[in-house]
Coordinates of all heavy atoms in Angstrom, one line a residue:
V247 N -51.6 25.0 78.6 CA -51.1 25.2 77.2 C -51.4 26.6 76.8 O -52.6 27.1 76.8 CB -51.7 24.2 76.2 CG1 -51.3 24.5 74.8 CG2 -51.4 22.8 76.6
Q248 N -50.4 27.4 76.5 CA -50.6 28.8 76.0 C -51.0 28.9 74.6 O -51.8 29.7 74.2 CB -49.3 29.6 76.3 CG -49.1 29.9 77.7 CD -48.3 31.1 77.9 OE1 -47.5 31.4 77.0 NE2 -48.4 31.8 79.0
S249 N -50.3 28.2 73.7 CA -50.6 28.2 72.3 C -50.1 26.9 71.7 O -49.1 26.3 72.1 CB -50.0 29.4 71.6 OG -48.6 29.3 71.6
V250 N -50.8 26.5 70.6 CA -50.4 25.3 69.9 C -49.9 25.7 68.5 O -50.5 26.5 67.8 CB -51.6 24.4 69.7 CG1 -51.3 23.1 68.9 CG2 -52.2 23.9 71.1
V251 N -48.7 25.3 68.2 CA -48.0 25.6 67.0 C -48.3 24.5 65.9 O -48.7 24.8 64.8 CB -46.5 25.8 67.1 CG1 -45.8 26.1 65.8 CG2 -46.2 26.9 68.2
T252 N -48.2 23.3 66.3 CA -48.5 22.1 65.4 C -49.1 21.0 66.3 O -49.1 21.2 67.5 CB -47.2 21.6 64.7 OG1 -46.3 21.0 65.7 CG2 -46.4 22.7 63.9
S253 N -49.5 19.9 65.7 CA -50.0 18.8 66.5 C -49.0 18.2 67.4 O -49.3 17.6 68.4 CB -50.6 17.8 65.6 OG -49.6 17.2 64.8
T254 N -47.7 18.5 67.2 CA -46.6 17.9 68.0 C -45.8 19.0 68.7 O -44.7 18.7 69.2 CB -45.7 17.0 67.2 OG1 -45.2 17.7 66.1 CG2 -46.5 15.8 66.7
G255 N -46.2 20.2 68.7 CA -45.5 21.3 69.3 C -46.4 22.4 69.9 O -47.3 22.9 69.2
F256 N -46.1 22.8 71.2 CA -46.9 23.8 71.8 C -46.1 24.5 72.9 O -45.1 24.0 73.3 CB -48.2 23.2 72.4 CG -48.0 22.0 73.3 CD1 -47.9 22.2 74.6 CD2 -47.9 20.7 72.8 CE1 -47.7 21.1 75.5 CE2 -47.8 19.6 73.6 CZ -47.7 19.8 75.0
W257 N -46.6 25.6 73.4 CA -46.0 26.4 74.4 C -46.8 26.1 75.7 O -48.0 26.1 75.7 CB -46.0 27.9 74.1 CG -45.2 28.3 73.0 CD1 -45.5 28.4 71.7 CD2 -43.8 28.7 73.1 NE1 -44.4 28.9 71.0 CE2 -43.4 29.1 71.8 CE3 -42.9 28.8 74.2 CZ2 -42.1 29.5 71.6 CZ3 -41.6 29.3 73.9 CH2 -41.2 29.6 72.6
V258 N -46.0 26.0 76.8 CA -46.6 25.9 78.2 C -46.0 26.9 79.1 O -44.8 27.3 78.9 CB -46.5 24.5 78.8 CG1 -47.2 23.4 78.0 CG2 -45.0 24.1 79.0
G259 N -46.8 27.4 80.0 CA -46.2 28.4 81.0 C -47.3 29.2 81.6 O -48.5 29.1 81.3
T260 N -46.9 30.2 82.4 CA -47.8 31.1 83.1 C -48.0 32.4 82.4 O -49.0 33.1 82.8 CB -47.3 31.3 84.5 OG1 -46.0 31.9 84.5 CG2 -47.3 30.0 85.3
S261 N -47.2 32.8 81.4 CA -47.4 34.0 80.7 C -46.6 33.9 79.4 O -45.9 33.0 79.1 CB -46.8 35.2 81.5 OG -45.4 35.2 81.6
Q262 N -46.9 35.0 78.6 CA -46.2 35.0 77.3 C -44.7 35.0 77.4 O -44.0 34.5 76.6 CB -46.7 36.3 76.5 CG -46.4 36.3 75.0 CD -47.3 35.3 74.3 OE1 -48.2 34.6 74.8 NE2 -47.0 35.2 73.0
R263 N -44.2 35.6 78.5 CA -42.7 35.7 78.7 C -42.2 34.5 79.5 O -41.1 34.1 79.4 CB -42.4 37.0 79.5 CG -42.6 38.2 78.7 CD -42.4 39.5 79.4 NE -41.8 39.4 80.8 CZ -40.6 39.9 81.1 NH1 -39.9 40.6 80.2 NH2 -40.1 39.8 82.3
D264 N -43.0 33.9 80.3 CA -42.6 32.8 81.2 C -43.2 31.5 80.7 O -44.3 31.0 81.1 CB -43.1 33.1 82.6 CG -42.6 32.0 83.6 OD1 -41.6 31.3 83.3 OD2 -43.3 31.8 84.7
R265 N -42.6 30.9 79.7 CA -43.1 29.7 79.0 C -42.0 29.0 78.3 O -40.9 29.5 78.1 CB -44.2 30.1 78.0 CG -43.6 30.9 76.8 CD -44.7 31.4 75.9 NE -44.1 32.0 74.7 CZ -44.8 32.1 73.6 NH1 -46.0 31.7 73.5 NH2 -44.2 32.7 72.5
L266 N -42.2 27.7 78.0 CA -41.3 26.8 77.3 C -42.0 26.1 76.2 O -43.2 25.8 76.3 CB -40.7 25.8 78.3 CG -39.7 26.3 79.3 CD1 -39.4 25.2 80.4 CD2 -38.5 26.8 78.7
F267 N -41.2 25.8 75.2 CA -41.8 25.1 74.0 C -41.6 23.6 74.3 O -40.6 23.1 74.8 CB -41.0 25.4 72.7 CG -41.7 24.9 71.5 CD1 -42.8 25.5 71.0 CD2 -41.2 23.7 70.9 CE1 -43.4 25.0 69.8 CE2 -41.8 23.2 69.8 CZ -42.9 23.9 69.3
V268 N -42.7 22.8 74.0 CA -42.7 21.4 74.2 C -42.8 20.7 72.8 O -43.7 21.1 72.0 CB -43.9 21.0 75.0 CG1 -44.0 19.4 75.1 CG2 -43.9 21.6 76.4
E269 N -41.9 19.8 72.5 CA -42.0 19.0 71.3 C -42.4 17.6 71.7 O -41.7 16.9 72.5 CB -40.6 18.9 70.6 CG -40.7 18.1 69.4 CD -39.3 17.8 68.7 OE1 -38.3 17.9 69.4 OE2 -39.3 17.6 67.5
V270 N -43.5 17.1 71.2 CA -44.0 15.8 71.4 C -43.4 14.9 70.4 O -43.4 15.1 69.2 CB -45.5 15.7 71.4 CG1 -46.0 14.3 71.6 CG2 -46.1 16.7 72.4
L271 N -42.7 13.8 70.9 CA -42.1 12.8 70.0 C -43.1 11.8 69.6 O -43.4 10.9 70.5 CB -40.8 12.2 70.6 CG -39.8 13.3 71.1 CD1 -38.7 12.6 71.8 CD2 -39.2 14.0 69.9
G272 N -43.6 11.8 68.4 CA -44.7 10.9 68.0 C -46.0 11.7 68.1 O -46.1 12.8 68.5
E273 N -47.0 11.0 67.6 CA -48.4 11.6 67.6 C -49.0 11.6 69.0 O -49.0 10.6 69.6 CB -49.3 10.9 66.6 CG -50.5 11.6 66.2 CD -50.3 13.0 65.5 OE1 -49.3 13.1 64.8 OE2 -51.0 13.9 65.8
P274 N -49.4 12.8 69.5 CA -50.0 12.9 70.8 C -51.2 12.0 70.9 O -51.9 11.7 69.9 CB -50.4 14.3 71.0 CG -49.6 15.1 69.9 CD -49.4 14.1 68.8
P275 N -51.5 11.5 72.1 CA -52.6 10.6 72.3 C -54.0 11.3 72.3 O -55.0 10.7 72.3 CB -52.4 10.0 73.7 CG -51.5 11.0 74.4 CD -50.7 11.6 73.3
F276 N -54.0 12.6 72.2 CA -55.2 13.4 72.1 C -54.8 14.8 71.5 O -53.6 15.2 71.6 CB -55.8 13.7 73.5 CG -54.9 14.2 74.5 CD1 -54.7 15.6 74.7 CD2 -54.1 13.4 75.3 CE1 -53.8 16.2 75.6 CE2 -53.2 14.0 76.3 CZ -53.1 15.3 76.4
P277 N -55.7 15.5 70.9 CA -55.4 16.8 70.4 C -55.1 17.8 71.5 O -56.0 17.9 72.4 CB -56.7 17.2 69.6 CG -57.5 16.0 69.5 CD -57.1 15.1 70.6
V278 N -54.0 18.5 71.5 CA -53.7 19.5 72.5 C -54.3 20.8 72.0 O -54.2 21.2 70.9 CB -52.1 19.6 72.6 CG1 -51.8 20.7 73.6 CG2 -51.5 18.2 73.0
A279 N -54.9 21.5 73.0 CA -55.6 22.7 72.7 C -55.2 23.8 73.6 O -54.8 23.6 74.8 CB -57.1 22.5 72.8
R280 N -55.2 25.0 73.1 CA -54.9 26.2 74.0 C -55.9 26.3 75.2 O -57.0 26.0 75.1 CB -55.1 27.5 73.1 CG -54.8 28.7 73.8 CD -54.9 29.9 72.9 NE -54.4 31.1 73.5 CZ -55.2 32.0 74.1 NH1 -56.5 31.9 74.1 NH2 -54.6 33.1 74.7
G281 N -55.3 26.6 76.3 CA -56.0 26.6 77.6 C -56.2 25.3 78.3 O -56.6 25.3 79.5
Q282 N -55.8 24.2 77.7 CA -55.9 22.9 78.3 C -54.7 22.7 79.3 O -53.6 23.2 79.1 CB -55.7 21.9 77.1 CG -55.9 20.5 77.5 CD -55.9 19.6 76.3 OE1 -55.0 19.8 75.4 NE2 -56.7 18.6 76.2
E283 N -55.0 22.0 80.3 CA -54.0 21.6 81.3 C -53.5 20.2 80.8 O -54.2 19.3 80.6 CB -54.5 21.5 82.7 CG -54.8 22.9 83.2 CD -55.1 22.9 84.7 OE1 -54.9 21.9 85.4 OE2 -55.6 23.9 85.2
V284 N -52.1 20.1 80.8 CA -51.5 18.8 80.4 C -50.4 18.5 81.5 O -49.9 19.4 82.1 CB -50.9 18.8 79.0 CG1 -51.9 19.0 77.9 CG2 -49.8 19.9 78.9
S285 N -50.1 17.2 81.6 CA -49.0 16.9 82.4 C -48.1 15.9 81.6 O -48.5 15.2 80.7 CB -49.4 16.2 83.7 OG -50.2 15.1 83.5
F286 N -46.8 15.9 82.0 CA -45.9 15.0 81.3 C -44.5 15.0 82.0 O -44.3 15.8 82.9 CB -45.6 15.6 79.9 CG -45.2 17.0 79.8 CD1 -43.9 17.4 80.0 CD2 -46.1 18.0 79.5 CE1 -43.5 18.7 80.0 CE2 -45.8 19.3 79.4 CZ -44.4 19.7 79.6
V287 N -43.7 14.0 81.7 CA -42.3 14.0 82.1 C -41.6 14.0 80.8 O -41.8 13.3 79.9 CB -42.0 12.7 82.9 CG1 -40.6 12.5 83.2 CG2 -42.8 12.6 84.2
G288 N -40.6 15.0 80.8 CA -39.9 15.2 79.6 C -38.4 15.5 79.9 O -38.0 15.4 81.0
T289 N -37.7 15.8 78.8 CA -36.3 16.1 78.9 C -36.0 17.5 78.3 O -36.4 17.7 77.2 CB -35.4 15.1 78.2 OG1 -35.7 13.8 78.7 CG2 -33.9 15.3 78.3
V290 N -35.3 18.3 79.1 CA -34.9 19.6 78.5 C -33.7 19.4 77.6 O -32.8 18.7 77.9 CB -34.5 20.6 79.6 CG1 -34.0 21.9 79.1 CG2 -35.7 20.9 80.6
D291 N -33.8 19.8 76.4 CA -32.9 19.6 75.3 C -32.5 20.9 74.7 O -33.3 21.7 74.4 CB -33.5 18.6 74.3 CG -32.4 18.1 73.3 OD1 -31.3 17.8 73.8 OD2 -32.8 17.9 72.2
P292 N -31.2 21.1 74.4 CA -30.8 22.3 73.7 C -31.3 22.3 72.3 O -31.5 21.3 71.7 CB -29.2 22.3 73.7 CG -28.9 20.9 73.9 CD -30.0 20.2 74.7
N293 N -31.6 23.5 71.8 CA -32.0 23.7 70.4 C -30.8 23.3 69.5 O -29.7 23.7 69.9 CB -32.5 25.1 70.1 CG -33.7 25.5 70.9 OD1 -34.5 24.6 71.3 ND2 -33.9 26.8 71.1
H294 N -31.1 22.7 68.4 CA -30.0 22.3 67.5 C -30.3 23.1 66.2 O -31.4 23.7 66.0 CB -30.1 20.8 67.2 CG -30.0 20.0 68.4 ND1 -28.8 19.8 69.1 CD2 -30.9 19.3 69.1 CE1 -28.9 19.0 70.1 NE2 -30.2 18.7 70.2
E295 N -29.3 23.2 65.4 CA -29.5 23.8 64.1 C -30.7 23.2 63.3 O -30.8 22.0 63.3 CB -28.2 23.7 63.2 CG -28.3 24.5 62.0 CD -26.9 24.6 61.2 OE1 -25.9 24.5 61.9 OE2 -27.0 24.7 60.0
G296 N -31.6 24.0 62.9 CA -32.8 23.6 62.2 C -33.9 23.3 63.1 O -35.0 23.0 62.6
S297 N -33.8 23.5 64.4 CA -34.9 23.2 65.4 C -36.0 24.2 65.1 O -37.2 23.8 65.1 CB -34.4 23.4 66.8 OG -33.6 22.4 67.2
L298 N -35.8 25.5 64.9 CA -36.9 26.4 64.7 C -37.7 26.1 63.5 O -38.9 26.2 63.5 CB -36.3 27.9 64.6 CG -35.5 28.3 65.8 CD1 -35.0 29.8 65.5 CD2 -36.3 28.3 67.1
E299 N -37.0 25.7 62.4 CA -37.8 25.3 61.2 C -38.5 24.0 61.5 O -39.7 23.9 61.0 CB -36.8 25.1 60.0 CG -36.2 26.4 59.6 CD -35.0 26.8 60.4 OE1 -34.4 26.0 61.2 OE2 -34.6 28.0 60.3
R300 N -37.9 23.0 62.1 CA -38.6 21.8 62.4 C -39.9 22.0 63.3 O -40.9 21.3 63.1 CB -37.6 20.8 63.1 CG -38.2 19.4 63.2 CD -37.3 18.4 63.8 NE -37.2 18.4 65.2 CZ -36.1 18.7 66.0 NH1 -35.0 18.9 65.4 NH2 -36.2 18.8 67.3
F301 N -39.8 22.9 64.2 CA -40.9 23.2 65.1 C -41.9 24.1 64.5 O -43.0 24.3 65.0 CB -40.4 23.9 66.4 CG -39.4 23.0 67.2 CD1 -38.5 23.7 68.0 CD2 -39.4 21.7 67.2 CE1 -37.6 23.0 68.8 CE2 -38.5 20.9 67.9 CZ -37.6 21.6 68.7
A302 N -41.6 24.7 63.3 CA -42.5 25.6 62.6 C -42.9 26.8 63.4 O -44.0 27.3 63.3 CB -43.8 24.8 62.1
V303 N -42.0 27.3 64.2 CA -42.2 28.6 64.9 C -41.7 29.7 64.0 O -40.7 29.6 63.3 CB -41.5 28.6 66.3 CG1 -42.2 27.6 67.2 CG2 -40.1 28.4 66.2
H304 N -42.4 30.9 64.1 CA -42.1 32.0 63.4 C -42.3 33.3 64.2 O -42.8 33.2 65.3 CB -43.1 32.1 62.2 CG -43.1 30.9 61.3 ND1 -42.0 30.7 60.4 CD2 -43.9 29.9 61.2 CE1 -42.3 29.5 59.8 NE2 -43.4 29.0 60.3
G305 N -41.8 34.4 63.7 CA -42.0 35.7 64.4 C -41.4 35.7 65.8 O -40.4 35.2 66.1
Q306 N -42.2 36.3 66.7 CA -41.8 36.4 68.1 C -41.6 35.0 68.8 O -40.7 34.9 69.6 CB -42.8 37.2 68.9 CG -42.4 37.6 70.3 CD -41.1 38.4 70.3 OE1 -40.8 39.2 69.5 NE2 -40.2 38.1 71.3
D307 N -42.4 34.0 68.4 CA -42.1 32.7 68.9 C -40.7 32.2 68.6 O -40.0 31.6 69.4 CB -43.2 31.7 68.3 CG -44.5 31.8 68.9 OD1 -44.7 32.5 70.0 OD2 -45.5 31.2 68.4
A308 N -40.3 32.4 67.4 CA -39.0 32.0 66.9 C -37.9 32.7 67.7 O -36.9 32.2 68.1 CB -38.8 32.1 65.4
V309 N -38.1 34.0 67.9 CA -37.1 34.9 68.6 C -37.0 34.3 70.0 O -35.9 34.1 70.5 CB -37.5 36.3 68.6 CG1 -36.7 37.2 69.5 CG2 -37.5 36.9 67.2
Q310 N -38.1 34.1 70.7 CA -38.1 33.7 72.1 C -37.5 32.3 72.2 O -36.6 32.1 73.1 CB -39.5 33.7 72.7 CG -39.5 33.3 74.1 CD -40.9 33.4 74.7 OE1 -41.9 33.5 74.0 NE2 -41.0 33.4 76.0
L311 N -37.8 31.4 71.4 CA -37.2 30.0 71.4 C -35.7 30.1 71.2 O -35.0 29.4 71.9 CB -37.9 29.1 70.4 CG -37.5 27.6 70.5 CD1 -37.7 27.0 71.9 CD2 -38.3 26.8 69.5
H312 N -35.3 30.9 70.2 CA -33.9 31.0 69.9 C -33.1 31.6 71.2 O -32.1 31.1 71.5 CB -33.7 31.9 68.7 CG -32.2 32.2 68.4 ND1 -31.4 31.2 67.9 CD2 -31.5 33.3 68.6 CE1 -30.2 31.8 67.8 NE2 -30.2 33.0 68.2
E313 N -33.7 32.6 71.8 CA -33.1 33.3 72.9 C -33.0 32.3 74.1 O -32.0 32.3 74.9 CB -33.8 34.5 73.3 CG -33.6 35.7 72.4 CD -34.5 36.9 72.7 OE1 -35.3 36.8 73.6 OE2 -34.3 37.9 72.0
Q314 N -34.1 31.5 74.3 CA -34.0 30.5 75.4 C -33.0 29.4 75.2 O -32.3 29.0 76.1 CB -35.4 29.9 75.6 CG -36.5 30.8 76.1 CD -37.8 30.2 76.1 OE1 -38.1 29.2 75.5 NE2 -38.7 30.7 77.0
G315 N -32.8 29.0 73.9 CA -31.8 28.0 73.6 C -32.1 26.6 73.9 O -31.3 25.7 73.8
H316 N -33.3 26.3 74.4 CA -33.7 24.9 74.7 C -35.2 24.8 74.7 O -36.0 25.7 74.6 CB -33.2 24.6 76.1 CG -33.7 25.5 77.2 ND1 -33.1 26.7 77.5 CD2 -34.8 25.5 78.0 CE1 -33.7 27.3 78.5 NE2 -34.8 26.6 78.8
H317 N -35.6 23.5 74.7 CA -37.0 23.2 74.7 C -37.2 21.8 75.4 O -36.2 21.3 75.9 CB -37.5 23.0 73.2 CG -36.8 22.0 72.4 ND1 -35.5 22.2 71.9 CD2 -37.0 20.7 72.2 CE1 -35.1 21.1 71.3 NE2 -36.0 20.1 71.5
I318 N -38.4 21.4 75.5 CA -38.7 20.1 76.2 C -39.1 19.0 75.3 O -40.0 19.3 74.4 CB -39.8 20.3 77.3 CG1 -39.4 21.4 78.3 CG2 -40.1 19.0 78.0 CD1 -40.5 21.8 79.2
H319 N -38.4 17.9 75.3 CA -38.8 16.7 74.5 C -39.7 15.8 75.4 O -39.4 15.5 76.5 CB -37.6 15.8 74.2 CG -36.9 16.2 72.9 ND1 -35.6 16.2 72.8 CD2 -37.4 16.7 71.8 CE1 -35.2 16.6 71.6 NE2 -36.3 16.9 70.9
V320 N -40.9 15.4 74.9 CA -41.8 14.6 75.6 C -42.2 13.4 74.7 O -42.7 13.6 73.6 CB -43.1 15.4 76.0 CG1 -44.1 14.5 76.7 CG2 -42.7 16.5 76.9
E321 N -42.1 12.2 75.2 CA -42.6 11.0 74.4 C -44.1 11.1 74.5 O -44.7 11.5 75.5 CB -42.1 9.7 75.1 CG -40.6 9.5 75.0 CD -40.2 9.1 73.6 OE1 -41.0 8.7 72.8 OE2 -39.0 9.4 73.4
S322 N -44.7 10.8 73.3 CA -46.2 10.9 73.3 C -46.9 10.1 74.3 O -47.9 10.5 74.9 CB -46.7 10.5 71.9 OG -46.3 9.1 71.6
S323 N -46.3 9.0 74.7 CA -46.9 8.1 75.8 C -46.9 8.8 77.1 O -47.6 8.4 78.1 CB -46.2 6.8 75.8 OG -44.8 6.9 76.1
A324 N -46.0 9.8 77.3 CA -45.9 10.5 78.6 C -46.8 11.7 78.7 O -46.9 12.3 79.8 CB -44.4 10.9 78.8
L325 N -47.5 12.1 77.7 CA -48.4 13.2 77.7 C -49.8 12.8 78.2 O -50.3 11.9 77.6 CB -48.5 13.8 76.3 CG -49.2 15.1 76.1 CD1 -48.6 16.2 76.9 CD2 -49.3 15.5 74.6
Q326 N -50.2 13.5 79.2 CA -51.6 13.2 79.7 C -52.4 14.5 79.9 O -51.8 15.6 80.0 CB -51.4 12.6 81.1 CG -50.7 11.3 81.0 CD -50.5 10.7 82.4 OE1 -51.0 11.2 83.4 NE2 -49.7 9.6 82.5
R327 N -53.7 14.4 79.9 CA -54.6 15.5 80.2 C -54.6 15.8 81.6 O -54.5 14.9 82.4 CB -56.0 15.2 79.7 CG -56.2 15.0 78.3 CD -57.6 14.6 78.0 NE -57.6 13.9 76.7 CZ -58.4 14.2 75.7 NH1 -59.3 15.2 75.9 NH2 -58.4 13.6 74.6
G328 N -54.6 17.1 82.0 CA -54.7 17.5 83.4 C -53.4 17.5 84.1 O -52.4 17.2 83.8

């Protein structure tokens, strides 16, 4: 986990440029923290109108997410530590 935006939204990847935004559908089974390793099975979904506001991303995060045009949906039950 590179950074946590909200309790249900965070960035994963290997660098600030090489990352994807993850939206957890429902309350995660544990608090997600920066630097933590997580695993999950999810679905890549295109961003929709209002996604950036719903995800509460701002600044460079919002620019990057908008440019990527998609994010990952993960059911809370599919999110695991490690």
